[in-house]
Amino acid sequence: MAASVPDQSVVNTHRDDFLTCGVCLEVFKDPRILPCLHTFCFKCISTCMESCQSGNSPALCPQCREPFPEETSCLNQNVFISGLTRLVEFKAVKKDECTPCGLHNSVSPALRRCLHCGDYLCSSCSGGHTASSLTLHHQTVPLIEIRQGKYDAKLRQLQRIPCQHHKEKDVVYLCQSCCQPACISCVVIGHKGHTIQPIAEAAHQLQSTMKCLVETIREDMTTIKVQEQNILSLVKAGKAKKEAKKRLIEDNAQQEIAVINARKCELLKKVNDDWKFAVKEQESKLEKVVCQKAVASSCVDFCGRILEKGKDYEVVMLETVIIERLQTIQSLLPGIRPNQVEQEKHCQVVSQISSPKGGKSSDVVLTHGTSQKSIYTTPALRSVFSGKSKHDMKKPDIKDMTYSSRIGLILSDRANKKLKVLNTRGDLQREIIFEGFNPFAVSAAGDEIRAISGNCLWLITASGCLKEKIQVDKEKPDESQCFTYCLAASERVGYVVGNIPGVKGLYLYNLDGTQRTFVYFQVHFPLAALSLSPSADIILSEWGSGSVTILSAKGRLRWRGSSPGWKPNGTCVVEDGTIFVADYIWGGLRAYNKSGESVLQYRTTSDGLKNPKCLVTTDKGLLCVAGKDRVCVYDIQRK
């Protein structure tokens, strides 16, 4: 089936690099097509294959890096590209001499060329070229029009596809049984009895199938383009969001710098004022001392002279005046008298004796080594369960955990923005979710729950109803920011909130949410966790000093245990006063008595809990330890 012949150049309809090898950057020579439909010269792709084989690496397409078979026999010839390159070569020939005249040893300039046989013809020979029965239907055209591309389509139509087995014959059939092109001789000799189809008819059927596949892929590409635009839009929006955050950070940083500079100027002014006052005070004291020195020097000089040069009569007569003057000067001069030393010693003793028993706080250095005073058996693992529920969209990120005998075990899952209430076997009882709720710290007292979300303390009932929101830091009203406040609660104390930037102390709230008092205490930030002991003391995990600190509800320091470089996390104190600590970096539990001696060390990594973050005790004597996404429940028994 012959195709129509368009006027435009077939070669010019393709890109400039369509007929150029991507390796040698020249017009294709013996082009071979890969499974990925990229084409290269046979010599170029063979060189690439040899290079890959020498390096023991798979053969990859030089353009898209897709692997292909390493056998050269699998590299099929790209007959389409071959036809186009032959057309380019046909047009590129610069021979301008008449072919028939050359056969008679004559040279004549060629003006035309036969499209069928390819002969160059002068004006004389072109007229007689079609006089023979063999060339009667040949078409001769001007050379200039061939080079302009006017007859590219016609030349493509007339191009021969020689049979691989009979070079003098053209391929005109397709053997469907063998899926091979064939000439008339092949059909008669090698494909006898096979299903034979004209090549044009087979091409028409294949073109229909290919068009359907191409249209399907084009529709898929439309979807891909939409996805591409969506991704680009998200990237653009993300970039804008990033820039906005950067500007916000810069603005906040400038404000903080301004505050710091103002505070710096204030402190420097105070230092200068204190220095001026101190200098003035010292100058006054110096003037007094110099005056005393001069008076004493004059008196001593006179007395020295009379003792050295005076007669006995003169010494006796002036004795009263000299002694009185010396005593007067002695009383004016600074110094410590023997009776004053005795008096100070007596005062110190009285002060020590009158100091109330237990009035001093205990400050100990913790020992992390294996202790001979262990009073607990090895923790018995009761259960291990994941913090993930079937409704979670993300992997859980447990930030805090608390326990109430009336409610159960409560987990704060910041990744999924919810509180989870479970029993100690890990069975989910319910989930607590609110709009704009992203819990961080959580605690419970009685039948009510308190949680930190943003800059607010959320008061929640046991059934999951929101009662009230209380703003913690009045100077930072933005709830959308991340506030890593610490929280603890008990029915005896109420609620305690700490780790508030710039606030040197703790806020104490009543159970109804009203602020009761503020406890001033020099916290070594950051504060990793807060908890309350059975005796209503406050336990702080201070990363800044590597210590665990115990305060009374009024802020009095009772006990502090520290170790250089230590990073304690969640803590709890049991009835006998033993302090349990979750050691996040070490990966386990530690317990200490009030002397700072280790009474228990246990690595939770063997139970699948690599980095314990928080822990609580239950009314049944169980110890629950939580990591990032799982909880281990232990039975702790004394020896």
Side-chain angles (χ1 to χ4, degrees):
M1 186 168 61
S4 59
V5 181
D7 294 335
Q8 62 178 352
S9 170
V10 173
V11 176
N12 293 339
T13 59
H14 301 288
R15 301 192 307 271
D16 294 338
D17 60 345
F18 187 72
L19 301 179
T20 303
C21 175
V23 177
C24 64
L25 302 180
E26 296 182 359
V27 177
F28 286 110
K29 295 178 181 178
D30 192 9
R32 300 301 175 100
I33 188 168
L34 303 182
C36 59
L37 300 187
H38 290 134
T39 303
F40 303 94
C41 298
F42 178 73
K43 182 179 179 181
C44 296
I45 198 64
S46 298
T47 303
C48 292
M49 290 172 60
E50 293 173 359
S51 176
C52 292
Q53 290 173 355
S54 63
N56 293 325
S57 58
L60 303 176
C61 171
Q63 186 167 341
C64 66
R65 313 304 296 170
E66 184 174 328
F68 63 90
E70 299 183 8
E71 295 81 8
T72 55
S73 60
C74 297
L75 300 177
N76 297 322
Q77 186 179 25
N78 191 332
V79 293
F80 174 58
I81 297 295
S82 296
L84 293 179
T85 53
R86 288 201 304 272
L87 177 60
V88 171
E89 294 171 354
F90 184 86
K91 293 170 57 178
V93 176
K94 298 299 182 180
K95 182 178 179 181
D96 292 327
E97 297 178 358
C98 178
T99 302
C101 292
L103 297 175
H104 297 86
N105 297 324
S106 176
V107 177
S108 300
L111 300 177
R112 303 176 72 86
R113 190 175 185 183
C114 179
L115 298 180
H116 291 74
C117 62
D119 285 350
Y120 288 87
L121 304 170
C122 62
S123 57
S124 300
C125 296
S126 62
H129 186 69
T130 57
S132 170
S133 60
L134 297 176
T135 59
L136 177 63
H137 300 290
H138 286 202
Q139 181 180 358
T140 62
V141 296
L143 281 174
I144 189 171
E145 293 182 359
I146 291 177
R147 289 168 182 163
Q148 289 173 352
K150 187 175 180 180
Y151 296 97
D152 283 358
K154 182 68 176 178
L155 289 171
R156 285 278 293 149
Q157 182 181 355
L158 295 174
Q159 276 183 341
R160 291 182 64 248
I161 304 177
C163 178
Q164 295 181 355
H165 305 289
H166 308 90
K167 300 298 183 182
E168 73 282 359
K169 302 289 185 178
D170 293 344
V171 172
V172 291
Y173 296 102
L174 175 68
C175 176
Q176 293 184 339
S177 301
C178 303
C179 295
Q180 291 183 355
C183 65
I184 186 65
S185 299
C186 291
V187 170
V188 174
I189 300 172
H191 299 273
K192 190 173 182 179
H194 292 186
T195 302
I196 305 300
Q197 187 179 21
I199 197 75
E201 183 179 337
H204 179 70
Q205 293 178 356
L206 291 174
Q207 285 173 354
S208 300
T209 304
M210 292 171 63
K211 284 180 181 179
C212 292
L213 290 174
V214 169
E215 289 301 322
T216 302
I217 294 174
R218 281 177 178 169
E219 292 177 1
D220 294 339
M221 288 180 64
T222 303
T223 304
I224 292 173
K225 288 180 180 178
V226 172
Q227 293 177 355
E228 179 186 13
Q229 293 300 320
N230 292 337
I231 294 172
L232 291 175
S233 299
L234 290 175
V235 171
K236 185 177 180 181
K239 185 177 180 181
K241 189 175 182 180
K242 180 198 75 172
E243 296 298 328
K245 286 184 177 180
K246 287 175 62 177
R247 288 194 297 271
L248 179 61
I249 292 172
E250 290 289 344
D251 294 341
N252 291 339
Q254 292 299 326
Q255 293 177 6
E256 294 292 338
I257 291 171
V259 171
I260 293 172
N261 287 333
R263 180 61 177 162
K264 172 186 172 184
C265 294
E266 180 183 349
L267 292 175
L268 289 176
K269 183 177 182 301
K270 186 176 183 303
V271 169
N272 289 331
D273 293 343
D274 292 346
W275 169 248
K276 290 179 181 179
F277 177 80
V279 168
K280 186 176 181 180
E281 185 178 8
Q282 296 303 323
E283 286 178 349
S284 176
K285 290 181 179 179
L286 179 62
E287 183 179 356
K288 183 178 180 180
V289 169
V290 170
C291 181
Q292 290 176 347
K293 177 184 174 183
V295 171
S297 178
S298 175
C299 178
V300 170
D301 183 60
F302 175 79
C303 293
R305 288 178 184 274
I306 196 170
L307 290 174
E308 181 181 358
K309 303 294 185 180
K311 295 180 179 181
D312 294 340
Y313 170 78
E314 295 170 345
V315 173
V316 171
M317 293 301 296
L318 296 176
E319 178 262 340
T320 303
V321 178
I322 292 174
I323 294 298
E324 289 181 355
R325 183 57 177 171
L326 287 174
Q327 289 177 346
T328 301
I329 291 175
Q330 187 180 21
S331 65
L332 295 176
L333 294 178
I336 299 178
R337 311 290 177 259
N339 60 341
Q340 182 180 353
V341 174
E342 294 298 326
Q343 183 179 5
E344 289 180 357
K345 288 182 179 179
H346 175 70
C347 291
Q348 291 173 0
V349 172
V350 170
S351 175
Q352 293 175 5
I353 294 174
S354 61
S355 178
K357 186 176 180 180
K360 292 185 179 180
S361 63
S362 176
D363 200 340
V364 301
V365 177
L366 299 178
T367 58
H368 293 327
T370 304
S371 175
Q372 301 298 324
K373 297 185 178 182
S374 176
I375 60 175
Y376 288 92
T377 60
T378 301
L381 183 64
R382 277 285 196 90
S383 62
V384 180
F385 54 87
S386 171
K388 183 176 179 61
S389 67
K390 63 180 181 178
H391 303 294
D392 288 351
M393 301 300 292
K394 298 180 180 179
K395 185 177 181 180
D397 183 11
I398 300 173
K399 290 298 184 182
D400 202 2
M401 176 177 62
T402 189
Y403 178 83
S404 170
S405 58
R406 304 179 191 175
I407 303 174
L409 194 65
I410 307 166
L411 303 180
S412 171
D413 185 352
R414 191 167 180 83
N416 294 287
K417 301 181 179 180
K418 64 176 72 171
L419 296 178
K420 300 173 180 176
V421 181
L422 311 94
N423 58 26
T424 54
R425 296 186 301 274
D427 301 324
L428 182 67
Q429 306 298 315
R430 60 187 170 277
E431 295 181 338
I432 301 175
I433 304 173
F434 301 106
E435 181 69 27
F437 185 57
N438 192 4
F440 188 82
V442 65
S443 193
D447 56 358
E448 291 191 348
I449 304 170
R450 300 293 183 267
I452 292 293
S453 176
N455 190 24
C456 288
L457 176 63
W458 294 54
L459 282 64
I460 306 167
T461 64
S463 60
C465 297
L466 178 63
K467 289 180 60 178
E468 187 180 1
K469 286 197 302 183
I470 301 170
Q471 185 175 318
V472 178
D473 193 345
K474 308 298 183 182
E475 297 180 1
K476 297 183 177 66
D478 188 0
E479 294 185 23
S480 64
Q481 296 183 16
C482 179
F483 294 86
T484 56
Y485 300 157
C486 294
L487 177 66
S490 73
E491 292 187 82
R492 291 184 58 184
V493 178
Y495 292 89
V496 184
V497 181
N499 202 41
I500 304 171
V503 177
K504 298 180 180 180
L506 308 170
Y507 286 120
L508 268 66
Y509 295 84
N510 295 315
L511 291 176
D512 61 358
T514 58
Q515 185 173 342
R516 186 174 73 198
T517 184
F518 175 80
V519 177
Y520 177 84
F521 181 75
Q522 185 63 48
V523 180
H524 296 83
F525 290 105
L527 189 61
L530 275 175
S531 61
L532 294 171
S533 71
S535 59
D537 288 334
I538 305 171
I539 302 98
L540 301 86
S541 295
E542 299 175 280
W543 277 23
S545 60
S547 62
V548 174
T549 304
I550 300 180
L551 303 177
S552 69
K554 295 183 179 180
R556 184 175 182 180
L557 178 62
R558 293 194 186 278
W559 185 90
R560 170 177 281 155
S562 61
S563 179
W566 191 32
K567 302 296 183 185
N569 269 67
T571 59
C572 66
V573 178
V574 296
E575 291 291 342
D576 63 358
T578 302
I579 304 168
F580 285 85
V581 183
D583 195 328
Y584 181 86
I585 297 177
W586 180 67
L589 302 176
R590 298 184 188 273
Y592 306 93
N593 59 24
K594 288 193 175 182
S595 298
E597 296 171 319
S598 174
V599 296
L600 175 67
Q601 291 191 102
Y602 179 77
R603 284 188 179 271
T604 58
T605 52
S606 60
D607 302 325
L609 189 61
K610 295 183 179 180
N611 303 111
K613 300 170 67 175
C614 44
L615 50 84
V616 293
T617 56
T618 70
D619 54 346
K620 296 182 180 179
L622 299 177
L623 184 66
C624 302
V625 187
K628 183 177 179 64
D629 58 357
R630 65 175 56 199
V631 179
C632 292
V633 181
Y634 298 94
D635 193 358
I636 305 294
Q637 298 290 339
R638 294 177 63 89
K639 290 183 178 178

